[in-house]
Amino acid sequence: MEQPQPKKELNNLQLRLLAGIIGGAVFIGAIFWSAWTFFLLFLVLTVLGLLEFYRLLAGKGYQPNKALGVLLGLELYVMFFWVKYGGLDPQWLYLLLPLMAFTLVAELYRKKEHPFENIAFTLLGVLYIAVPFALLHVLAFWPERYSWQIILGVMFLIWASDTGAYAAGKTFGKHKLFPRISPGKTWEGWAGGVVLSLVVGWVLSLVYFDLSLELWLGMAVLVAVFGVLGDLVESMLKRNLGVKDSGTLIPGHGGILDRFDSLILVVPFLVAFLELTRL
């Protein structure tokens, strides 16, 4: 009698590839389809990112106000969307200031140890994760309408920077970029990321006409510089907390912070760059 063959499990590379293809298709589709699917995609990422950040801190004994932090992050994200898409008066954003100040008052009633550390980490989660995702609406509705081209272009630039850095680092990497935080990164890899980002920025200017060549190239430089710094910042966080990955949500890729660390840091610089070009 023939024995049943054992099922073959996917190895890590196959798992990463499969998750990357499925995730990439969902990601690109949501951004391309409409402003609402874009909004919902990053709404979910904002909540998951905040929960992941607070869970990492709780694992080291810290006690941030998770519920209030997620609520503040959601309010920030939704209000930015309605200002850019729904025509909400920007003055309503001032409402966020007393809401953030309420974090201090709420800590009075939690009766937790180290209250000011809890307050600091609660607000840090909002600043680190919710603010960049909220600022994506400035890019998405620049100048005055929903532009999937800009959002997808930013993603392509980040992917190009990562791919160029990996390929050049593997081939030519000798000089360490930041060995104290990330021993695997090299200056040669970073240069490869810059070059490929500039090439992709030039290609984007030929097919995506919402921005000029100069703006696409400027954004490519910012992504190549601050994207890798975002990766290093997240590595610094993980080293400080003693974890390898920020989470296990994405098979083979880690957590939300692992996957979007470059985007999180680069978005404020891109927003400032595009807004200042209006002057």
Side-chain angles (χ1 to χ4, degrees):
M1 182 176 180
E2 186 177 348
Q3 294 295 325
Q5 295 295 321
K7 294 182 179 179
K8 294 183 179 179
E9 295 184 359
L10 295 175
N11 61 38
N12 188 59
L13 180 59
Q14 292 172 325
L15 198 61
R16 282 178 61 88
L17 183 60
L18 181 62
I21 292 173
I22 296 174
V26 171
F27 204 79
I28 292 173
I31 294 171
F32 176 78
W33 190 258
S34 73
W36 279 105
T37 51
F38 159 76
F39 165 78
L40 291 174
L41 171 66
F42 282 97
L43 178 72
V44 171
L45 291 178
T46 299
V47 173
L48 292 178
L50 285 167
L51 290 174
E52 185 175 275
F53 180 75
Y54 293 138
R55 179 184 56 77
L56 287 173
L57 292 170
K60 295 298 288 185
Y62 300 111
Q63 297 177 304
N65 193 331
K66 179 172 65 175
L68 185 56
V70 171
L71 179 62
L72 284 171
L74 277 175
E75 289 176 344
L76 179 69
Y77 180 85
V78 172
M79 288 183 72
F80 261 82
F81 177 75
W82 278 114
V83 166
K84 303 303 294 185
Y85 179 78
L88 182 69
D89 193 319
Q91 287 188 321
W92 281 100
L93 292 175
Y94 285 114
L95 184 62
L96 292 167
L97 299 177
L99 289 174
M100 294 183 75
F102 182 72
T103 309
L104 285 78
V105 178
E107 198 63 29
L108 289 171
Y109 298 92
R110 296 184 70 218
K111 300 178 182 179
K112 303 289 186 181
E113 294 183 358
H114 312 295
F116 278 90
E117 287 185 6
N118 298 335
I119 293 168
F121 283 127
T122 300
L123 295 177
L124 178 60
V126 177
L127 176 65
Y128 181 41
I129 298 161
V131 168
F133 283 152
L135 287 175
L136 275 175
H137 297 310
V138 179
L139 298 179
F141 293 93
W142 195 91
E144 301 299 339
R145 59 179 176 80
Y146 178 62
S147 174
W148 58 266
Q149 292 187 3
I150 295 177
I151 298 299
L152 274 186
V154 170
M155 301 304 164
F156 290 144
L157 290 174
I158 290 174
W159 294 334
S161 176
D162 290 344
T163 302
Y166 178 80
K170 282 290 185 182
T171 306
F172 307 108
K174 292 182 179 179
H175 302 88
K176 301 298 184 182
L177 177 65
F178 218 114
R180 179 171 59 88
I181 299 297
S182 184
K185 287 184 170 50
T186 63
W187 282 102
E188 292 83 1
W190 174 77
V194 173
V195 171
L196 190 55
S197 293
L198 287 172
V199 171
V200 171
W202 172 72
V203 172
L204 288 172
S205 73
L206 300 178
V207 293
Y208 289 173
F209 303 113
D210 284 358
L211 295 178
S212 66
L213 170 63
E214 293 77 13
L215 291 180
W216 278 121
L217 293 181
M219 291 174 66
V221 172
L222 290 174
V223 165
V225 173
F226 293 101
V228 70
L229 290 175
D231 192 316
L232 289 169
V233 167
E234 200 248 352
S235 295
M236 178 174 63
L237 170 66
K238 290 188 293 186
R239 278 180 172 269
N240 185 62
L241 297 177
V243 296
K244 180 181 178 182
D245 296 315
S246 65
T248 58
L249 182 65
I250 309 172
H253 292 268
I256 298 298
L257 301 184
D258 292 318
R259 202 71 193 93
F260 297 97
D261 50 5
S262 297
L263 179 66
I264 285 171
L265 190 67
V266 82
V267 165
F269 293 94
L270 295 179
V271 168
F273 172 67
L274 285 184
E275 288 296 320
L276 289 174
T277 60
R278 295 175 186 245
L279 299 179

